[in-house]
Amino acid sequence: MAVKKYSSYSQIEFDLEVLKLQKEIHYQKLLLSGQIIKDSLTPSSLVSSVLGSFKEVLINPKNAIIKLAIPFIIKLILKIKRGI
């Protein structure tokens, strides 16, 4: 970081004000992130996310089975081709 040279106190005050505002913005972002994490860990949100995952499987089980089976099939084919 280069050393900045100031020619007046107003420039120093301006930069200090900018830094103060940046600090406040980062602090508010941190608080918001904490609140989002706190809200996502409530029992109701955990239950709804689990039910949402199961809902997708229950609505279309073929897609869920295919999504799970594809990586295993690919590994099996690669093993057969390699002769393992």
Side-chain angles (χ1 to χ4, degrees):
M1 187 171 172
V3 177
K4 188 172 182 180
K5 294 184 179 183
Y6 296 99
S7 60
S8 68
Y9 285 112
S10 64
Q11 290 176 339
I12 296 171
E13 289 175 1
F14 177 78
D15 278 355
L16 287 174
E17 185 65 29
V18 168
L19 290 172
K20 180 181 171 186
L21 292 172
Q22 286 176 342
K23 178 184 170 186
E24 182 64 26
I25 289 170
H26 290 299
Y27 179 72
Q28 292 299 325
K29 283 183 180 180
L30 182 66
L31 289 178
L32 181 62
S33 296
Q35 186 64 38
I36 290 171
I37 291 170
K38 183 179 167 185
D39 291 344
S40 67
L41 294 177
T42 60
S44 61
S45 67
L46 291 174
V47 169
S48 67
S49 66
V50 169
L51 290 178
S53 300
F54 282 120
K55 184 174 93 172
E56 181 182 334
V57 172
L58 293 175
I59 289 175
N60 201 346
K62 287 181 183 178
N63 284 345
I65 293 170
I66 291 171
K67 285 180 184 178
L68 290 173
I70 287 177
F72 294 113
I73 293 170
I74 291 173
K75 286 181 184 178
L76 180 65
I77 291 171
L78 291 175
K79 283 182 180 180
I80 291 172
K81 284 195 173 206
R82 290 183 189 155
I84 297 176

PDB file of all heavy atoms in Angstrom, residues 26-42:
ATOM      1  N   HIS A  26     -19.293  -2.545   6.294  1.00  0.00           N
ATOM      2  CA  HIS A  26     -18.826  -3.915   6.557  1.00  0.00           C
ATOM      3  C   HIS A  26     -19.462  -4.469   7.833  1.00  0.00           C
ATOM      4  O   HIS A  26     -19.820  -5.647   7.892  1.00  0.00           O
ATOM      5  CB  HIS A  26     -17.307  -3.958   6.654  1.00  0.00           C
ATOM      6  CG  HIS A  26     -16.611  -3.728   5.343  1.00  0.00           C
ATOM      7  ND1 HIS A  26     -16.772  -4.543   4.254  1.00  0.00           N
ATOM      8  CD2 HIS A  26     -15.757  -2.753   4.948  1.00  0.00           C
ATOM      9  CE1 HIS A  26     -16.048  -4.097   3.255  1.00  0.00           C
ATOM     10  NE2 HIS A  26     -15.415  -3.004   3.645  1.00  0.00           N
ATOM     11  N   TYR A  27     -19.606  -3.640   8.833  1.00  0.00           N
ATOM     12  CA  TYR A  27     -20.228  -4.073  10.079  1.00  0.00           C
ATOM     13  C   TYR A  27     -21.685  -4.464   9.855  1.00  0.00           C
ATOM     14  O   TYR A  27     -22.150  -5.492  10.343  1.00  0.00           O
ATOM     15  CB  TYR A  27     -20.119  -2.958  11.129  1.00  0.00           C
ATOM     16  CG  TYR A  27     -20.751  -3.311  12.446  1.00  0.00           C
ATOM     17  CD1 TYR A  27     -20.172  -4.243  13.290  1.00  0.00           C
ATOM     18  CD2 TYR A  27     -21.938  -2.705  12.851  1.00  0.00           C
ATOM     19  CE1 TYR A  27     -20.757  -4.581  14.496  1.00  0.00           C
ATOM     20  CE2 TYR A  27     -22.526  -3.026  14.060  1.00  0.00           C
ATOM     21  CZ  TYR A  27     -21.934  -3.964  14.874  1.00  0.00           C
ATOM     22  OH  TYR A  27     -22.516  -4.294  16.064  1.00  0.00           O
ATOM     23  N   GLN A  28     -22.417  -3.655   9.079  1.00  0.00           N
ATOM     24  CA  GLN A  28     -23.822  -3.960   8.797  1.00  0.00           C
ATOM     25  C   GLN A  28     -23.948  -5.236   7.962  1.00  0.00           C
ATOM     26  O   GLN A  28     -24.879  -6.026   8.152  1.00  0.00           O
ATOM     27  CB  GLN A  28     -24.498  -2.776   8.090  1.00  0.00           C
ATOM     28  CG  GLN A  28     -24.663  -1.551   8.963  1.00  0.00           C
ATOM     29  CD  GLN A  28     -25.530  -1.815  10.173  1.00  0.00           C
ATOM     30  OE1 GLN A  28     -26.478  -2.577  10.133  1.00  0.00           O
ATOM     31  NE2 GLN A  28     -25.188  -1.154  11.277  1.00  0.00           N
ATOM     32  N   LYS A  29     -23.023  -5.442   7.019  1.00  0.00           N
ATOM     33  CA  LYS A  29     -23.041  -6.682   6.238  1.00  0.00           C
ATOM     34  C   LYS A  29     -22.811  -7.892   7.132  1.00  0.00           C
ATOM     35  O   LYS A  29     -23.433  -8.935   6.961  1.00  0.00           O
ATOM     36  CB  LYS A  29     -21.963  -6.642   5.147  1.00  0.00           C
ATOM     37  CG  LYS A  29     -22.309  -5.800   3.953  1.00  0.00           C
ATOM     38  CD  LYS A  29     -21.212  -5.879   2.913  1.00  0.00           C
ATOM     39  CE  LYS A  29     -21.519  -5.050   1.704  1.00  0.00           C
ATOM     40  NZ  LYS A  29     -20.439  -5.121   0.692  1.00  0.00           N
ATOM     41  N   LEU A  30     -21.903  -7.735   8.096  1.00  0.00           N
ATOM     42  CA  LEU A  30     -21.632  -8.809   9.039  1.00  0.00           C
ATOM     43  C   LEU A  30     -22.862  -9.117   9.883  1.00  0.00           C
ATOM     44  O   LEU A  30     -23.220 -10.284  10.076  1.00  0.00           O
ATOM     45  CB  LEU A  30     -20.455  -8.429   9.938  1.00  0.00           C
ATOM     46  CG  LEU A  30     -20.009  -9.454  10.959  1.00  0.00           C
ATOM     47  CD1 LEU A  30     -19.446 -10.692  10.261  1.00  0.00           C
ATOM     48  CD2 LEU A  30     -18.972  -8.859  11.884  1.00  0.00           C
ATOM     49  N   LEU A  31     -23.536  -8.081  10.359  1.00  0.00           N
ATOM     50  CA  LEU A  31     -24.760  -8.285  11.133  1.00  0.00           C
ATOM     51  C   LEU A  31     -25.832  -8.969  10.296  1.00  0.00           C
ATOM     52  O   LEU A  31     -26.530  -9.864  10.787  1.00  0.00           O
ATOM     53  CB  LEU A  31     -25.287  -6.945  11.659  1.00  0.00           C
ATOM     54  CG  LEU A  31     -24.491  -6.284  12.780  1.00  0.00           C
ATOM     55  CD1 LEU A  31     -25.126  -4.938  13.135  1.00  0.00           C
ATOM     56  CD2 LEU A  31     -24.429  -7.167  14.001  1.00  0.00           C
ATOM     57  N   LEU A  32     -25.975  -8.546   9.047  1.00  0.00           N
ATOM     58  CA  LEU A  32     -26.972  -9.146   8.160  1.00  0.00           C
ATOM     59  C   LEU A  32     -26.659 -10.618   7.905  1.00  0.00           C
ATOM     60  O   LEU A  32     -27.556 -11.466   7.928  1.00  0.00           O
ATOM     61  CB  LEU A  32     -27.047  -8.377   6.848  1.00  0.00           C
ATOM     62  CG  LEU A  32     -28.056  -8.879   5.829  1.00  0.00           C
ATOM     63  CD1 LEU A  32     -29.475  -8.794   6.381  1.00  0.00           C
ATOM     64  CD2 LEU A  32     -27.950  -8.084   4.543  1.00  0.00           C
ATOM     65  N   SER A  33     -25.386 -10.933   7.682  1.00  0.00           N
ATOM     66  CA  SER A  33     -25.001 -12.335   7.469  1.00  0.00           C
ATOM     67  C   SER A  33     -25.316 -13.171   8.703  1.00  0.00           C
ATOM     68  O   SER A  33     -25.801 -14.300   8.584  1.00  0.00           O
ATOM     69  CB  SER A  33     -23.513 -12.426   7.151  1.00  0.00           C
ATOM     70  OG  SER A  33     -23.214 -11.767   5.948  1.00  0.00           O
ATOM     71  N   GLY A  34     -25.037 -12.626   9.876  1.00  0.00           N
ATOM     72  CA  GLY A  34     -25.351 -13.333  11.106  1.00  0.00           C
ATOM     73  C   GLY A  34     -26.842 -13.571  11.256  1.00  0.00           C
ATOM     74  O   GLY A  34     -27.271 -14.646  11.674  1.00  0.00           O
ATOM     75  N   GLN A  35     -27.645 -12.581  10.904  1.00  0.00           N
ATOM     76  CA  GLN A  35     -29.097 -12.713  10.995  1.00  0.00           C
ATOM     77  C   GLN A  35     -29.618 -13.756  10.009  1.00  0.00           C
ATOM     78  O   GLN A  35     -30.503 -14.554  10.331  1.00  0.00           O
ATOM     79  CB  GLN A  35     -29.778 -11.358  10.747  1.00  0.00           C
ATOM     80  CG  GLN A  35     -31.263 -11.371  10.959  1.00  0.00           C
ATOM     81  CD  GLN A  35     -31.630 -11.676  12.400  1.00  0.00           C
ATOM     82  OE1 GLN A  35     -30.973 -11.242  13.327  1.00  0.00           O
ATOM     83  NE2 GLN A  35     -32.684 -12.441  12.582  1.00  0.00           N
ATOM     84  N   ILE A  36     -29.041 -13.773   8.802  1.00  0.00           N
ATOM     85  CA  ILE A  36     -29.449 -14.754   7.793  1.00  0.00           C
ATOM     86  C   ILE A  36     -29.124 -16.164   8.277  1.00  0.00           C
ATOM     87  O   ILE A  36     -29.945 -17.087   8.149  1.00  0.00           O
ATOM     88  CB  ILE A  36     -28.767 -14.451   6.439  1.00  0.00           C
ATOM     89  CG1 ILE A  36     -29.358 -13.175   5.838  1.00  0.00           C
ATOM     90  CG2 ILE A  36     -28.909 -15.623   5.476  1.00  0.00           C
ATOM     91  CD1 ILE A  36     -28.617 -12.664   4.619  1.00  0.00           C
ATOM     92  N   ILE A  37     -27.936 -16.345   8.851  1.00  0.00           N
ATOM     93  CA  ILE A  37     -27.561 -17.657   9.382  1.00  0.00           C
ATOM     94  C   ILE A  37     -28.496 -18.051  10.517  1.00  0.00           C
ATOM     95  O   ILE A  37     -28.963 -19.192  10.591  1.00  0.00           O
ATOM     96  CB  ILE A  37     -26.091 -17.651   9.845  1.00  0.00           C
ATOM     97  CG1 ILE A  37     -25.172 -17.551   8.635  1.00  0.00           C
ATOM     98  CG2 ILE A  37     -25.763 -18.888  10.657  1.00  0.00           C
ATOM     99  CD1 ILE A  37     -23.721 -17.297   8.987  1.00  0.00           C
ATOM    100  N   LYS A  38     -28.767 -17.104  11.391  1.00  0.00           N
ATOM    101  CA  LYS A  38     -29.652 -17.379  12.527  1.00  0.00           C
ATOM    102  C   LYS A  38     -31.045 -17.780  12.042  1.00  0.00           C
ATOM    103  O   LYS A  38     -31.640 -18.736  12.546  1.00  0.00           O
ATOM    104  CB  LYS A  38     -29.741 -16.136  13.408  1.00  0.00           C
ATOM    105  CG  LYS A  38     -30.563 -16.298  14.646  1.00  0.00           C
ATOM    106  CD  LYS A  38     -30.559 -14.992  15.442  1.00  0.00           C
ATOM    107  CE  LYS A  38     -31.614 -14.999  16.519  1.00  0.00           C
ATOM    108  NZ  LYS A  38     -31.699 -13.713  17.200  1.00  0.00           N
ATOM    109  N   ASP A  39     -31.559 -17.071  11.039  1.00  0.00           N
ATOM    110  CA  ASP A  39     -32.885 -17.388  10.502  1.00  0.00           C
ATOM    111  C   ASP A  39     -32.904 -18.742   9.794  1.00  0.00           C
ATOM    112  O   ASP A  39     -33.903 -19.452   9.828  1.00  0.00           O
ATOM    113  CB  ASP A  39     -33.342 -16.296   9.541  1.00  0.00           C
ATOM    114  CG  ASP A  39     -33.652 -14.988  10.246  1.00  0.00           C
ATOM    115  OD1 ASP A  39     -33.818 -15.002  11.489  1.00  0.00           O
ATOM    116  OD2 ASP A  39     -33.708 -13.945   9.565  1.00  0.00           O
ATOM    117  N   SER A  40     -31.786 -19.090   9.139  1.00  0.00           N
ATOM    118  CA  SER A  40     -31.765 -20.356   8.404  1.00  0.00           C
ATOM    119  C   SER A  40     -31.637 -21.555   9.338  1.00  0.00           C
ATOM    120  O   SER A  40     -31.889 -22.681   8.921  1.00  0.00           O
ATOM    121  CB  SER A  40     -30.629 -20.368   7.388  1.00  0.00           C
ATOM    122  OG  SER A  40     -29.380 -20.367   8.038  1.00  0.00           O
ATOM    123  N   LEU A  41     -31.258 -21.332  10.579  1.00  0.00           N
ATOM    124  CA  LEU A  41     -31.107 -22.434  11.524  1.00  0.00           C
ATOM    125  C   LEU A  41     -32.290 -22.591  12.473  1.00  0.00           C
ATOM    126  O   LEU A  41     -32.212 -23.346  13.434  1.00  0.00           O
ATOM    127  CB  LEU A  41     -29.816 -22.257  12.331  1.00  0.00           C
ATOM    128  CG  LEU A  41     -28.528 -22.367  11.527  1.00  0.00           C
ATOM    129  CD1 LEU A  41     -27.330 -22.095  12.410  1.00  0.00           C
ATOM    130  CD2 LEU A  41     -28.407 -23.722  10.867  1.00  0.00           C
ATOM    131  N   THR A  42     -33.386 -21.908  12.196  1.00  0.00           N
ATOM    132  CA  THR A  42     -34.571 -22.086  13.021  1.00  0.00           C
ATOM    133  C   THR A  42     -35.196 -23.443  12.696  1.00  0.00           C
ATOM    134  O   THR A  42     -35.059 -23.947  11.577  1.00  0.00           O
ATOM    135  CB  THR A  42     -35.613 -20.977  12.776  1.00  0.00           C
ATOM    136  OG1 THR A  42     -35.998 -21.005  11.403  1.00  0.00           O
ATOM    137  CG2 THR A  42     -35.061 -19.604  13.137  1.00  0.00           C
TER     138      THR A  42
END
